[in-house]
Amino acid sequence: MNILEAVSLTKKYGDFTAVNNLDFNVVEGEIFGFLGPNGAGKTTTINMLTGLARVTSGSVYLSGIDYTHNTKKAQRLMGIVPDESNLYDEMDGFQNLTFCAALYGMEKHIREERAERLLRQFGLAEAGKRPFKAYSKGMKRKLTIAAGIIHEPKILFLDEPTTGIDVASARQIRKLSLDLNKKDITIFLTTHYIEEAERLCHRVAFIVDGKIPLPRFLLCLL
Ligand SMILES: Nc1ncnc2c1ncn2[C@@H]1O[C@H](COP(=O)(O)OP(=O)(O)O)[C@@H](O)[C@H]1O
Ligand SMILES: [Mg+2]
C-alpha cells in the first residue's frame, strides 16, 4: 500500500521550474531513496511533500487522501529532519526535545519520558544536559533526527542526513535509520551518495534538474 504519492508535482519560483511534473509513490514500510546532485530539486520536493512549500501544480496523497491544500492533519503523521538543523542553540538537548513535543500538544510527563528515551537511544544521554550550540555536527544531526520522531510519525523525511558530518557519525545515523525503519517508520531519504542509497534503500528514484529521467531502456526504445 502506498503511504505517499506524488502526481505531476511541480514547483515554480517565478519563471524558474525547480521541480517539473514528478510522479512517484512511496510504499508503506520502505526506505525510499531520492537521489540526485546538488540543485536537482530534492529539498524543494520534500518541502512540497511536507507542506513547507506551496505546490505550484500537481497533487500529493497520504495513505490515499489528497492533502495538497490541507497539510495540517498530514503534518502530524510526518517527521521532518531538514538539512540545516531547526533546533535552538541556547537550549540543551533535553529542552529542545521537550519543546518540540510541546508543539505537538503532548502532556508534560509523556514528553519528558520520550525525550529521555530518545536521548538514550541516540547515545546523547550525557549531551542532553549541554546546550545545542556546544554539540558537534554529528551530534546536532542526531538530536535533529530525535526531534523529528518525538511525535512518533508514520513517515520520516531525512534530507541529506549524512552530508557534512564525520564518518563515524554518518555510520551511526545510517544504523539509526535502519533501526527506525525496523520499528515500522517509513523513511523518505534524500542523498547524493549512490553507495548510501544502495546500502539503505529498498527502492530509489533519481532526480536531475527537477525531473525524474526516463529509465535508460525506455530511452533506447524512443
Ligand atoms: N526559494 C527559492 N527561490 C528560487 N529558487 C530556488 C528556491 N529554492 C530552491 N531554488 C532552486 O531550485 C533548484 C532546486 O533546489 P533544491 O531543491 O534545494 O535542490 P537540492 O536539494 O536537490 O540540492 C535549485 O536550482 C535552487 O537554486
Ligand atoms: Mg537539498
Side-chain angles (χ1 to χ4, degrees), residues 13 16 18 37-44 160:
Y13 294 109
F16 176 71
N38 284 333
K42 301 183 297 296
T43 299
T44 305
E160 306 217 22

Side-chain angles (χ1 to χ4, degrees), residues 65-84:
I65 296 169
D66 185 341
Y67 68 99
T68 320
H69 304 291
N70 184 16
T71 51
K72 268 261 150 58
K73 248 195 198 160
Q75 277 172 332
R76 293 196 75 88
L77 302 173
M78 298 174 171
I80 306 159
V81 180
D83 48 356
E84 293 286 332

Side-chain angles (χ1 to χ4, degrees), residues 173-217:
I173 284 174
R174 283 195 286 268
K175 163 102 174 42
L176 277 170
S177 306
L178 287 171
D179 289 347
L180 294 174
N181 181 245
K182 280 196 196 106
K183 288 181 188 151
D184 290 335
I185 300 183
T186 305
I187 295 183
F188 185 99
L189 171 93
T190 77
T191 178
H192 55 252
Y193 301 126
I194 289 194
E195 308 78 37
E196 179 166 282
E198 201 170 11
R199 206 172 313 161
L200 291 183
C201 300
H202 298 101
R203 294 188 308 142
V204 294
F206 291 88
I207 180 170
V208 182
D209 289 339
K211 290 184 285 248
I212 294 182
L214 284 174
R216 194 163 290 170
F217 72 89

